[in-house]
Amino acid sequence: MSKALTVILLLAMLIQVLKPLNLPGLRHRRDFWKIAVFAIAVMMVTILIRP
């Protein structure tokens, strides 16, 4: 599951750079780093939850 989530978030960052998603907080191409920060946070939570 974590690998699939990683691929989805990488695709979202690529799409954001090519054509902004126009979501609140993601209106500009330079906002792709916000997706990366979210991805790192999700991966940390996944690591903490796993036994």
Side-chain angles (χ1 to χ4, degrees), residues 7-49:
V7 171
I8 290 170
L9 290 171
L10 283 173
L11 286 174
M13 287 192 318
L14 180 66
I15 291 169
Q16 178 67 23
V17 170
L18 297 176
K19 182 181 181 292
L21 298 173
N22 286 326
L23 296 172
L26 297 173
R27 303 242 184 241
H28 305 285
R29 287 188 170 133
R30 64 181 181 259
D31 292 335
F32 74 96
W33 66 269
K34 293 177 184 178
I35 300 171
V37 170
F38 175 74
I40 291 169
V42 167
M43 287 179 199
M44 285 183 180
V45 168
T46 303
I47 291 170
L48 290 173
I49 291 176

